[in-house]
Amino acid sequence: MKHNKYLLISLAVVFFLISCEKDLPTFLSYENYVFSSTDEDGGTWKPILINSGDEIIISAPSDVTSAEYLQELSDLKQEVSKRSNAEEQALEYWTDNPTIRWNEITLELIAKYNIIPGPNADGTYTLPNPNNPTGPPAFPFAHPPYAVRVLAYLSVAQFDGLITAWHYKYTYNRLAPFKQDSEIKYAYADNNIPSYPSDGAVLASVSKKILTAMFPLEAEYLEAKEAEHLRSLLLSGGYVESDIEAGKIIGNEIATKALERAATDGMKNAQTPKPVSDSIAAAAFDRFGWKWINKELPQRPVGLTPLYGKVKMWNVPNVELTRPIPPPNLDSQEYMADVEILKDYANNLTTERRRIANFWQDGLGTYTPPGHWNEFTKKFIVKYKLNPLRSARTFAYINMAMMDGGISCWDAKYYYHYPRPIQTIEGFKTIAGTPNFPSYTSGHSVFSAAGAEVLAYIFPQEATLVRDWAEEAAMSRVYGGIHWTFDAYIGTEQGIDVAQYTVDVAAVDGAD
């Protein structure tokens, strides 16, 4: 990979980056749109957590001529006729593709909880504890490894839930209420998708349950969002109560399966006590003759999630398959050349390089680098008018790839334990803070390259654009002074390598 490749960014890319929000999730406002496809065969696609779309049993709905269903229609007309102004606003908010809204809610929570726990009065640190979420400090600290894990579990559960919903939609083929009774007006575009079970109800229930487990202090807020979403589904005229109840069953069962996996994926062991952290550093020193030393002020005694590299991956069989080559020795010509490159960047920091470093910072109080790629993803989803099922598939694959990328990256970070420039270049200063974990490889580079490869696969028209973004994200950390150029270049290659495992799964899931 040639160094100057990272600097070739088209005007279109620059315009897009300048126009995007840098730090916080944006609320995407769009008019009702007709889906580019309805994916009638979506119930046959291969899910992630379950074996098939019929694994969860949903009984056949009442016949549309039955007294039970006719009563549901009558009740629905009554409810729709008395919609309040607040309910009208909620209808506008939830739209006909609520996968986007639940992703936005998730990014907002990540940004809210992406706060480093501060030191105690005596200089010690207390880590967030899921068994005592109120703390202090409050649980969780939504750093990038935590954030991408939230996004992965949420989107995978949404995807499996919607595959199940699509299976039963086209098995039972019950038309939506507004097609049964002309007096019922649908609030959104008619996409001609059967109503039983409600895909929106699947999303509401699965998302509330996953996010409550990940952000326990937000339980009340999430319950209110679920209730608002479910109420909007009814008042849209697109679903009767039995459609919604069937969707809730699917959502809750899929969320349970997702959380069972999460409970045993190894994340609870990722943040280690100091003796374990010290032993990891000592092993690296014995292996290579160097170790990373934290240079942040105040200094936390343990690096960020030293054992995240041992968390269960989604699509990579073994993390060692994606472990990159060793970084250069600290007395090598390659290392010395990189020292000069970083000094030159620091002494000649152009306005453009500073802009790039700042745009991709994604630090504390933001939605993190994985969140940044989710923000791009939702805009492509709207641009190409994906339906909720295909939207969930897109989010699932990009977030699985980025989580696998993060695990691979953290494995490399703590296996090689490579020092950052601020540690080994005398008098060196950064403009992007001082992360409390080793340098090699760059997390921004791995997350971004993995995300870009999935987007390039799903949206081939955007392949050049997203790969340019990934390369810019990688170099942003070099311009910021916190990474070596080889952290960025090799990290980009690592992310591409990791993502291919997920792309291979996507290629045979039946959706293409």
Side-chain angles (χ1 to χ4, degrees):
M1 191 176 303
K2 297 192 181 295
H3 293 196
N4 62 2
K5 183 179 179 185
Y6 289 92
L7 304 179
L8 298 177
I9 302 168
S10 69
L11 291 176
V13 177
V14 173
F15 175 79
F16 185 98
L17 293 179
I18 291 172
S19 65
C20 285
E21 287 288 332
K22 177 175 74 71
D23 293 320
L24 296 172
T26 56
F27 171 79
L28 189 60
S29 179
Y30 58 94
E31 299 295 327
N32 300 340
Y33 63 84
V34 176
F35 302 143
S36 56
S37 67
T38 55
D39 291 313
E40 293 184 19
D41 66 343
T44 67
W45 295 357
K46 184 173 176 54
I48 308 298
L49 298 165
I50 57 178
N51 295 315
S52 62
D54 61 355
E55 184 172 318
I56 295 172
I57 305 301
I58 299 295
S59 301
S62 300
D63 189 89
V64 295
T65 62
S66 67
E68 181 181 359
Y69 185 77
L70 293 174
Q71 184 61 54
E72 284 195 290
L73 284 182
S74 177
D75 294 343
L76 175 59
K77 284 193 286 188
Q78 287 293 317
E79 292 296 322
V80 170
S81 69
K82 57 184 182 182
R83 289 192 308 222
S84 67
N85 288 336
E87 288 170 335
E88 293 280 1
Q89 291 176 358
L91 277 170
E92 291 182 16
Y93 168 77
W94 282 107
T95 79
D96 40 4
N97 190 356
T99 46
I100 291 169
R101 293 292 177 251
W102 282 106
N103 183 266
E104 289 173 343
I105 289 167
T106 305
L107 297 187
E108 289 169 357
L109 293 178
I110 288 169
K112 179 178 178 178
Y113 284 85
N114 185 13
I115 303 295
I116 290 177
N120 301 318
D122 61 359
T124 62
Y125 277 85
T126 303
L127 295 174
N129 183 355
N131 297 317
N132 180 31
T134 58
F139 176 86
F141 168 23
H143 47 68
Y146 191 89
V148 76
R149 179 172 175 267
V150 171
L151 289 161
Y153 276 102
L154 175 72
S155 52
V156 165
Q158 290 175 334
F159 181 43
D160 280 19
L162 292 186
I163 289 175
T164 303
W166 248 249
H167 167 77
Y168 288 109
K169 280 178 181 293
Y170 289 97
T171 296
Y172 298 129
N173 272 300
R174 186 161 88 174
L175 298 181
F178 67 92
K179 290 181 177 290
Q180 310 284 358
D181 189 324
S182 61
E183 294 182 14
I184 300 173
K185 304 302 180 185
Y186 189 40
Y188 307 127
D190 179 6
N191 281 291
N192 201 33
I193 296 175
S195 65
Y196 181 90
S198 163
D199 46 290
V202 173
L203 290 169
S205 295
V206 78
S207 302
K208 189 280 296 263
K209 193 166 182 175
I210 296 287
L211 292 177
T212 300
M214 300 295 184
F215 298 97
L217 296 181
E218 300 297 330
E220 185 176 343
Y221 165 73
L222 291 165
E223 186 172 356
K225 297 306 286 185
E226 178 195 34
E228 180 186 84
H229 186 188
L230 294 172
R231 178 70 174 162
S232 293
L233 293 169
L234 185 71
L235 296 182
S236 74
Y239 308 94
V240 294
E241 194 63 46
S242 57
D243 296 329
I244 294 169
E245 288 301 316
K248 288 165 62 178
I249 291 170
I250 295 171
N252 282 309
E253 290 201 28
I254 290 291
T256 297
K257 292 179 182 295
L259 293 175
E260 286 173 352
R261 183 191 191 278
T264 59
D265 71 356
M267 186 66 181
K268 63 184 177 183
N269 301 318
Q271 190 61 58
T272 64
K274 191 173 186 301
V276 175
S277 179
D278 289 346
S279 70
I280 294 171
F285 189 82
D286 289 344
R287 196 179 296 126
F288 303 112
W290 65 63
K291 64 179 179 180
W292 163 76
I293 297 173
N294 187 7
K295 293 294 184 178
E296 68 174 351
L297 293 173
Q299 185 185 79
R300 282 168 286 176
V302 177
L304 183 68
T305 57
L307 294 183
Y308 188 65
K310 296 187 180 300
V311 170
K312 183 178 181 180
M313 303 176 90
W314 290 97
N315 296 310
V316 179
N318 186 318
V319 71
E320 293 184 11
L321 293 173
T322 58
R323 184 178 292 164
I325 61 173
N329 289 327
L330 298 180
D331 58 357
S332 67
Q333 288 186 348
E334 183 180 358
Y335 167 80
M336 296 299 183
D338 225 60
V339 168
E340 296 307 312
I341 290 172
L342 263 67
K343 285 181 177 180
D344 180 65
Y345 284 150
N347 294 330
N348 301 283
L349 187 61
T350 65
T351 300
E352 176 64 3
R353 288 172 182 167
R354 184 180 291 276
R355 182 196 67 77
I356 291 170
N358 288 336
F359 177 80
W360 291 102
Q361 175 74 345
D362 295 329
L364 297 175
T366 75
Y367 46 34
T368 76
H372 210 146
W373 285 91
N374 276 257
E375 186 81 0
F376 294 150
T377 300
K378 75 175 183 182
K379 292 174 182 175
F380 287 136
I381 285 171
V382 171
K383 178 178 179 179
Y384 292 100
K385 296 179 169 54
L386 304 192
N387 65 54
L389 170 60
R390 198 164 280 272
S391 301
R393 175 180 183 261
T394 302
F395 280 128
Y397 284 124
I398 190 174
N399 287 313
M400 282 193 293
M402 288 195 294
M403 182 173 168
D404 282 358
I407 292 168
S408 178
C409 179
W410 254 249
D411 166 74
K413 283 182 179 296
Y414 284 96
Y415 179 78
Y416 293 117
H417 229 276
Y418 202 71
R420 288 186 179 268
I422 196 173
Q423 179 182 336
T424 60
I425 304 176
E426 185 176 356
F428 191 75
K429 298 186 183 302
T430 78
I431 65 166
T434 308
N436 75 317
F437 41 89
S439 188
Y440 183 82
T441 53
S442 156
H444 270 59
S445 304
V446 180
F447 285 131
S448 297
E453 287 306 298
V454 172
L455 290 180
Y457 172 75
I458 294 177
F459 304 107
Q461 312 92 316
E462 311 290 352
T464 298
L465 183 62
V466 296
R467 285 169 175 151
D468 282 346
W469 291 346
E471 292 177 351
E472 184 181 89
M475 283 305 293
S476 75
R477 310 306 276 170
V478 181
Y479 298 153
I482 65 173
H483 273 295
W484 307 98
T485 62
F486 45 80
D487 293 346
Y489 304 148
I490 303 301
T492 298
E493 294 173 356
Q494 184 181 8
I496 293 169
D497 183 23
V498 172
Q500 189 59 50
Y501 288 90
T502 292
V503 169
D504 289 346
V505 171
V508 295
D509 72 352
D512 293 329

